[in-house]
Amino acid sequence: MEYFISAEHLTVGYDGVPLIENIEIGVRRGEILMLIGPNGSGKSTILKSLIRQLKPLAGTVVLDGKPMRDFSGRELSRKLGIVMTERIRGELMTCRDVAATGRYPYTGRLGILSAEDREKVDEAIRLVHAEEYADRPFRQISDGQRQLVLLARVICQEPEIVVLDEPTSFLDIRHKLEIIDVLKMMARTRRMAVVMSLHELDLAQKCSDRIVCVGDHCVDRCGTPEEIFRDDYIRKLYGIEKGSYNALSGSLEMAPSKGEPGVFVIGGGGAGVPVYRALQRNGIAFAAGILQENDIDHPVACVLAAELVSVPAYRAPDEAAVRRAKELMEACGRVICCVEEFAEGNQANRKLLEYSREQSLLTDLDSVIRAAKGEPE
């Protein structure tokens, strides 16, 4: 399948100084192409060069088989929709007015909307769920609502490709998800090509068809999310030195607390993760176990625990693992148990809980945090 828009031997930069050279990327109809990479790597510069906002230093951008430089402004506005980081002011305009500007490529010089144009504006507003504030002043709505109105404007424009630069920045979870949902709908049902940049790696991993990784002044790698999102590569791309990134879950974790562990956490089945993070936030080093390597708690414990007792997946803990866990419990002097019910394959941890009671080691998270702060328990 041919690319609908592509960059061929593209060199981009400012004032004649190259920032990234020999860029070769493309996106097909109905496809979402995502640019990721650290701040300042050149993602926005590439996007601006694709949409003719910035003149390439070399190479060509081809749109639907034709060099983009050969399109008139009116022709281009019927094929290309844009949502960049620069915010429009929308003085004295309602949200409906802003959305309606997407119809201007199809109106006469006076910009008078026909009945058909108004129907398309109403439809676009419904698609982004903006009906309740459609007639409010554009300046008086939230950033998330503005982004949805700008998407409605693009939908009104009926382009064949839309380019967006960090469309979810500064938005709450609801509006992030709504914007991504609208973009996926536009790609799947309208066969629209979508090119955008995102800083939220978890969203990029879940909604992209292909990923372009912009590294240190180069396009470092291109591929599917499954090919790109691997722990070691993401750490390299972003230069992560403190904390970690889990490619499987798409989650970031802070660096572990320093020092000898002062509490042992019996976890499993996801019950330990909130406790691990609470201890880390409060600067309390801890040990954890006994976890099977396929347990949902395991990847977070690997990162945050000062020491972890683990066993291979689907294998019951052996005597050596139990013995090491008891040694750590005694050395820590305190034990937190996050598990309420123990499955048949987790009887070793039930026995550890019983042992902590016998040795008067059992405590709770609040008591450990208060002690760390020097407060009475």
Side-chain angles (χ1 to χ4, degrees):
M1 188 185 300
E2 293 184 356
Y3 291 129
F4 182 67
I5 185 172
S6 62
E8 301 177 358
H9 306 293
L10 198 68
T11 296
V12 301
Y14 298 91
D15 300 322
V17 179
L19 178 64
I20 306 177
E21 298 181 274
N22 202 31
I23 300 168
E24 296 276 348
I25 59 174
V27 60
R28 302 174 178 89
R29 293 181 185 273
E31 185 176 60
I32 297 178
L33 180 71
M34 188 73 64
L35 274 64
I36 65 170
N39 289 329
S41 59
K43 300 185 299 297
S44 296
T45 304
I46 292 174
L47 294 180
K48 289 177 181 178
S49 301
L50 289 178
I51 64 174
R52 268 191 359 190
Q53 195 175 100
L54 183 66
K55 185 177 180 180
L57 302 183
T60 305
V61 177
V62 177
L63 176 60
D64 200 13
K66 177 180 175 180
M68 189 178 285
R69 60 177 175 267
D70 295 341
F71 283 87
S72 68
R74 189 176 183 84
E75 288 176 325
L76 192 59
S77 65
R78 292 190 176 197
K79 284 188 171 288
L80 175 66
I82 301 168
V83 180
M84 302 300 280
T85 52
E86 296 85 357
R87 300 287 185 252
I88 69 170
R89 297 185 62 84
E91 301 286 354
L92 305 179
M93 297 177 72
T94 66
C95 298
R96 190 182 302 278
D97 294 334
V98 171
T101 61
R103 294 304 302 164
Y104 287 173
Y106 304 93
T107 64
R109 292 185 178 181
L110 297 180
I112 298 175
L113 300 182
S114 67
E116 181 183 356
D117 291 326
R118 287 192 290 271
E119 288 179 5
K120 290 183 180 294
V121 173
D122 291 340
E123 179 188 6
I125 289 172
R126 285 194 299 271
L127 284 173
V128 301
H129 310 294
E131 300 100 314
E132 77 176 70
Y133 50 88
D135 295 309
R136 289 174 55 189
F138 184 72
R139 293 186 62 191
Q140 294 180 15
I141 61 174
S142 71
D143 284 344
Q145 291 169 334
R146 289 181 188 179
Q147 285 292 79
L148 288 170
V149 171
L150 294 177
L151 270 184
R153 181 181 66 167
V154 168
I155 294 171
C156 287
Q157 194 177 336
E158 297 183 303
E160 296 176 77
I161 180 170
V162 59
V163 176
L164 310 98
D165 191 10
E166 300 177 23
T168 59
S169 294
F170 310 113
L171 305 186
D172 61 33
I173 295 172
R174 172 194 165 185
H175 287 103
K176 287 179 191 290
L177 294 175
E178 286 183 351
I179 285 174
I180 294 299
D181 185 64
V182 171
L183 291 171
K184 288 180 66 177
M185 177 276 296
M186 292 164 67
R188 301 298 180 253
T189 65
R190 303 193 175 204
R191 301 299 297 163
M192 191 178 298
V194 178
V195 183
M196 63 176 164
S197 64
L198 276 187
H199 279 302
E200 297 92 335
L201 295 184
D202 54 339
L203 289 179
Q205 183 176 11
K206 294 174 176 67
C207 74
S208 309
D209 293 302
R210 289 189 302 120
I211 306 282
V212 173
C213 303
V214 186
D216 186 15
H217 304 305
C218 69
V219 172
D220 189 66
R221 186 177 295 185
C222 299
T224 64
E226 294 73 27
E227 293 168 336
I228 297 299
F229 284 98
R230 298 178 178 178
D231 296 354
D232 53 349
Y233 178 68
I234 294 297
R235 288 182 66 89
K236 171 181 173 291
L237 178 65
Y238 284 88
I240 298 174
E241 296 180 356
K242 296 182 178 180
S244 69
Y245 171 78
N246 186 302
L248 183 62
S249 63
S251 65
L252 297 169
E253 299 294 344
M254 303 297 289
S257 300
K258 296 180 180 180
E260 294 295 319
V263 61
F264 185 94
V265 181
I266 301 172
V273 171
V275 176
Y276 304 155
R277 290 174 176 164
L279 292 170
Q280 190 279 336
R281 285 197 304 273
N282 287 277
I284 302 168
F286 66 92
I290 301 170
L291 297 175
Q292 294 180 341
E293 291 177 350
N294 62 326
D295 194 288
I296 193 171
D297 281 352
H298 189 270
V300 179
C302 280
V303 173
L304 296 185
E307 185 166 344
L308 171 63
V309 181
S310 64
V311 295
Y314 308 110
R315 186 177 301 177
D318 56 18
E319 291 184 6
V322 174
R323 184 167 58 251
R324 181 55 184 157
K326 288 182 176 180
E327 292 172 354
L328 286 170
M329 291 165 64
E330 293 168 357
C332 290
R334 292 186 174 192
V335 175
I336 297 173
C337 182
C338 312
V339 183
E340 295 182 358
E341 297 182 3
F342 296 90
E344 183 176 343
N346 199 22
Q347 293 306 301
N349 278 335
R350 182 183 61 77
K351 292 179 180 179
L352 289 181
L353 173 59
E354 293 173 354
Y355 181 77
S356 69
R357 287 186 176 132
E358 293 169 1
Q359 301 299 315
S360 300
L361 300 175
L362 192 63
T363 185
D364 58 74
L365 177 63
D366 288 341
S367 297
V368 172
I369 292 175
R370 284 197 299 269
K373 294 180 177 179
E375 300 174 357
E377 297 187 29

